[in-house]
Structures are given as structure tokens and as C-alpha cells.
Amino acid sequence: MKNKATEIVNEIKSRGKEVLSKVTEFFVVKQKLENIRDKIRGGVSETNETLARIEGFAEGMTASNDMFVNSFRMLMGKERKNYKDNMFVKIDSSVLKGPWEWQKKVYQSLEHHIDVAIDKLRPFFA
């Protein structure tokens, strides 16, 4: 009987260590997922900044194009012309912004999937 009790206690100890090991693995997984999510959020903010810079660049190029064209108009003795409403002169930034917008969508999709994974792990941490 003593041997059987010792056997049962040893079995419970080994299972307890396995369960404890699995619990710590879950904590590490959650922490790693949260770290990845934070890095992705940083990537989204950097992408937003890049998109804003591209838009600013396009506006600056449009303004410089207007100034350039008006300089030649003045040289030819013509009046200055307002090109702000003219769609042909406006610099299209969508070509430059396209890859960055795609990257932002990928980041947002990854963030969503990581949030879902973290939510599925919550019951184990409650």
C-alpha cells in the first residue's frame, strides 16, 4: 500500500510539472504575441507617416509645377494662371502611395489575426 501511495504521488508530481510547464508556455506565447502586435502597430504608424510625407511631396511638386509654368507665362508676357483646379497639372501620388497602402493593409490584417489569437488565449489566463 505504501508503494502504491508513493507511486500515485510521483505520478501526480510529474503531471503537475507537465501542467506547470504548459501554463508557462502559454504565458510566453501570449507575451510574444503581444510584442509582435506592438511592433506591427509601430509599423502601421510608420506607414501612416510615410503616406503623409508622400502626400506632402505631391503637393509640393504640384506647387512647384504651377510656379514653373507661371514663370514661363510671365516670360512670354501672359497673365499668371491658377492651376489648382486643373486636374492635368496636379501630381498624382497614388502610384507612389500604392505599395505603402498595401503594406498598411497587410499590417492591419496581421494585427487583427494576432488580436484574435490573443483573445482565444484569454480563457487560459483568467
Side-chain angles (χ1 to χ4, degrees), residues 26-42:
F26 274 126
F27 282 118
V28 172
V29 168
K30 181 182 178 192
Q31 183 180 12
K32 286 184 179 182
L33 285 173
E34 288 173 344
N35 289 340
I36 291 170
R37 182 181 59 190
D38 292 341
K39 288 180 182 179
I40 289 172
R41 286 180 178 165

Side-chain angles (χ1 to χ4, degrees), residues 14-27:
S14 67
R15 285 187 183 174
K17 288 178 184 178
E18 288 176 24
V19 170
L20 186 59
S21 174
K22 289 180 182 180
V23 167
T24 56
E25 286 176 16
F26 274 126
F27 282 118

